[in-house]
Amino acid sequence: MSSLLRLPGLADVHVHLREPGGAHKETFATGTAAALAGGVTTVLAMPNTTPPVTDGASLEEAARLARAGARCDYGLFLGATHANASLPEALQRRAAGLKIYINETFGPLRVESLPAVIAHMRRWRGPGPVAVHAEGLMVPAVVALAAMTGARVHVCHVSRGAELAVIRSAKERGLPVTCEVTPHHLWLTERDLPQLGPFGHMRPPLATPADRDALWANLDVVDCVATDHAPHTRAEKLGPSPPPGVPGLETMLPLLLTALHEGRLTLERLVELTHTRPRAIFGLPAQPDTWVEVDTAAEWVVPERGWHTRADWSPFAGMRVRGRVVRTWVRGAVAYEEGYVIAPPGSGRDVRADAERPS
Ligand code: NCD
Ligand code: ZN
Ligand code: ZN
Ligand code: ZN
């Protein structure tokens, strides 16, 4: 029996590509190379760059860099500030979604004022949702604001059992709330911190084994698995104030295939979590003739180095996984094959290409 399996190209709705301002950590070219090596054919890039993407000019600058560098399809988030709630509708249509950082994390983007968050949610028209970095009690807060404003709210990187219980209850009440979980919160816990040191530092922080188990036990309310690929260099991680975040684009699918092999996930759910739901929530255009060939029987140990991401390390190093990306196809052409990225910089398309020239 062949162990080769064909999957639809993965869409990762939470990726940090660091351009402009952080090219030593990652670029559109290196980050999307990592994506293709991981079977990901669409990435949605977060706005916490330097400077951040918060208006028409900064979005166009990011779009220029993405157009030149991206090897897979991409969308660009706009970041909320206290001052930009009245983003023009043409700009809203052009963005992958609106990102609101409510809690402390990497970068200067933060909106902690309740009136400002309400204003953003009232004025956002999409087509993407309002994606929020909300932890702990801020999860029920954003659920209440979704109910109040009618905004479609997507909760990023949910990491704790109690947060997922709130989202289950919101969905049961018919509220327009969706969510994602990350591979690192599904596979790692605070017990791994002594071994990981700064390489296990991210927001939200690694949680308890009970929280991790709750994510698995309640996977039915989860809409997407997204990496929160947050590359920082080894030197930065080993420095005096390590920035939060871990890379994940090249390990997400092997980990999910391992769960498939172990019977913790069905193939149908894997495709929903990485393809169907993210595409539907963010209104992503179809990618014709785009798929991933994986070897579901290949066993390997996650290496320390040798990755396509410029970060070139992994919090999963040393873990034994089963399942390997053999080949990734984009629009009928081989984009990645057996360790080599073939798609050139500039071959990726903007998922909002239709909205690029607002009239
Ligand atoms: C992210 C980053 O490095 O940009 N870091 C992280 O720990 N997750 C920011 C974020 O997603 O909160
Ligand atoms: Zn975040
Ligand atoms: Zn993030
Ligand atoms: Zn499909």
Side-chain angles (χ1 to χ4, degrees), residues 14 16 18 48 99 101 105-106 133 157 201-204 228 230-232 244-246:
H14 193 146
H16 300 269
R18 308 304 190 198
N48 61 335
K99 179 66 182 281
Y101 292 91
T105 188
F106 182 71
H133 179 129
H157 45 45
H201 171 48
M202 81 287 288
R203 307 289 178 139
D228 190 11
H232 298 286
V246 297

Side-chain angles (χ1 to χ4, degrees), residues 158-159 181-193 195-196 200 202 205-216 219 222 224-227 246-248 251-266 270 273-274 302 314-323:
V158 175
S159 62
V181 297
T182 70
H184 47 272
H185 293 117
L186 284 169
W187 267 271
L188 303 172
T189 71
E190 60 189 17
R191 291 207 188 150
D192 297 301
L193 280 173
Q195 196 200 325
L196 285 168
M202 81 287 288
L206 291 176
T208 64
D211 285 312
R212 176 206 49 200
D213 294 348
L215 299 188
W216 282 103
L219 210 53
V222 173
C224 319
V225 176
T227 59
V246 297
T251 41
M252 169 167 65
L253 185 51
L255 287 166
L256 292 173
L257 290 170
T258 304
L260 177 72
H261 172 70
E262 292 168 347
R264 307 165 80 190
L265 193 64
T266 63
L270 191 159
L273 290 164
T274 59
V302 177
S314 169
F316 305 106
M319 211 174 271
R320 176 166 285 279
V321 290
R322 185 180 163 114

Side-chain angles (χ1 to χ4, degrees), residues 8 275-276 279:
H275 172 84
T276 323
R279 303 197 79 78

